[in-house]
Amino acid sequence: MDPFPKEGEGAAAGEPSRGAAPSSGVVVQVREKKGPLRAAIPYMPFPVAVICLFLNTFVPGLGTFVSAFTVLCGARTDLPDRHMCCVFWLNIAAALIQILTAIVMVGWIMSIFWGMDMVILASKYS
């Protein structure tokens, strides 16, 4: 006897199939909650974001450091309630974390992912 019922067969004889029910039409929306460091990543023009990704790949934290100055030039972030200087220092803090933890590879990986987030945000910005 087969321990698993075949497609269209119920576990017991005469039991209807459960997979044939239509969907109820429920819409679920998922929204990512970002921490303050992650929300401080600026929306930059695409070429600038690619340069920051390149810099972050080869010198961890350098692209994040450069992106901090785009905030002072008026780049928008996901922290509209914070002052521009506060967001600038959050980006500087993220760059320092990436530089200091690059010794154990954590900062380097974080730096590359940070650069990828910059490019993703820039592509949404365009």
Side-chain angles (χ1 to χ4, degrees):
M1 180 167 173
D2 190 13
F4 301 106
K6 292 185 179 143
E7 191 175 321
E9 292 180 355
E15 185 179 333
S17 175
R18 293 187 186 145
S23 66
S24 61
V26 176
V27 177
V28 177
Q29 183 178 7
V30 178
R31 200 174 278 188
E32 179 185 8
K33 183 177 179 185
K34 296 180 180 180
L37 279 180
R38 203 68 183 249
I41 298 174
Y43 289 84
M44 299 176 280
F46 191 77
V48 177
V50 171
I51 290 169
C52 288
L53 171 61
F54 181 79
L55 291 173
N56 271 349
T57 302
F58 295 104
V59 183
L62 183 59
T64 307
F65 185 75
V66 169
S67 75
F69 289 97
T70 65
V71 173
L72 296 178
C73 294
R76 191 172 54 87
T77 65
D78 288 332
L79 292 172
D81 54 335
R82 300 251 178 131
H83 192 267
M84 180 185 348
C85 289
C86 180
V87 177
F88 170 77
W89 287 111
L90 282 171
N91 278 294
I92 295 294
L96 288 176
I97 291 169
Q98 292 168 7
I99 291 167
L100 295 175
T101 59
I103 298 167
V104 290
M105 296 296 289
V106 173
W108 199 2
I109 294 168
M110 178 186 174
S111 184
I112 292 169
F113 278 111
W114 218 261
M116 289 172 26
D117 280 346
M118 289 178 202
V119 172
I120 290 168
L121 289 175
S123 66
K124 289 179 183 178
Y125 177 75
S126 303

